[in-house]
Amino acid sequence: MKLGLLFPGQGSQFIGMGKDFYENSELAREMFEIASEAIKIDFKKLMFEENDDINKTEYTQPAILLYSAIAYKLFEQNKNFTYNFSLGHSLGEFSALYSAGAMELADAIRLVHERGKLMNLAFKDKVGSMMVVLGLDDNIVEEVCKDSNLKVWPANYNSDGQIVIAGIRDDLVKLEPVLKEKGAKRVMLLNMSVASHCPLLESAVKPLKELLDEYLKDEFKNVVSNVTAKAYNTKKEALELLPIQLTKPVLYKQSIKNYENEADFFIEFGGKVLMGINRKITKKKTYPVTDMASLEKVINL
């Protein structure tokens, strides 16, 4: 049985994430301790109690990675399996790298915490955001962005008829009526202040590369790049691809289409977002691991 491992990105966070794992697994509790020590923050409070930090990108990113990492490790602990690739959506590519053995947990937590801070810094003098567009072909959205002369770009190719664009918030608002006039079924501005996967994050590319050079191991299992929709497995390749992932669109649907024949089904660790998107891309099933009950179901497949 061939598995495809999936890891969700930012936006999948919620209060209570990982709590069932924490309460029922010694391994999960150990991983919480490692993460908390890595960046000197109490992840139990961050993830289990109402707070504002959970939606701040420098904390959201390590929280999601920790949740996904625990889900994966508990699966690995209880199931003998092999896989040809792991694939993450945006931030999820870093969770995929952890699963592939590219980093230790503490280093992965530190890395995405710093990545979040670098992304915030890039927007200290401007307000960015992202916007979901439903019901239009990719080429139409691309043309609208290009012809607008505004600071807006395609950012996430999620599925046919679902694309996310990123840019300056006011420019995105100006584009709403244009996209609806072109036939978009829905245009929804997201509650974000950072525009991911567009040229506005160029200032974060070099410092992220320096961090990656410090934390990455030389070789690891196959991870599918958001930038190329192709697998890589060396530090050299990662140092070329992961920094520019900040400024390039996420080729998620292209990645699934490229690798669906190498998996009998997919498992999403720490979320259900990609499971929903996958229904529009592939006939292969996606099973989520979000708590002990869903873990048990997937183990027994």
Side-chain angles (χ1 to χ4, degrees), residues 245-264:
Q245 189 230 44
L246 287 169
T247 62
K248 302 291 185 182
V250 173
L251 304 183
Y252 181 75
K253 71 174 182 181
Q254 294 91 333
S255 298
I256 292 293
K257 289 177 180 178
N258 282 351
Y259 287 90
E260 64 180 341
N261 290 333
E262 293 191 23
D264 295 313

Side-chain angles (χ1 to χ4, degrees), residues 51 69 98 209:
N51 66 92
Y98 169 71
K209 186 171 184 176

Side-chain angles (χ1 to χ4, degrees), residues 265-283:
F265 59 85
F266 298 96
I267 302 174
E268 181 178 359
F269 294 97
K272 297 181 180 179
V273 174
L274 301 181
M275 178 178 68
I277 293 174
N278 278 7
R279 291 193 185 109
K280 302 174 183 178
I281 307 173
T282 178
K283 293 181 179 179

Side-chain angles (χ1 to χ4, degrees), residues 131 133 136-155 157 163-167 171-172 175 178-179 182:
M131 191 161 69
V133 182
L136 285 180
D137 290 341
D138 294 344
N139 64 312
I140 295 176
V141 178
E142 290 164 352
E143 288 173 9
V144 168
C145 290
K146 184 178 179 181
D147 295 343
S148 69
N149 292 318
L150 300 172
K151 290 185 177 180
V152 292
W153 298 268
Y157 290 87
I163 188 170
V164 178
I165 59 178
D171 287 351
L172 290 169
L175 218 57
V178 180
L179 291 162
K182 290 288 186 178

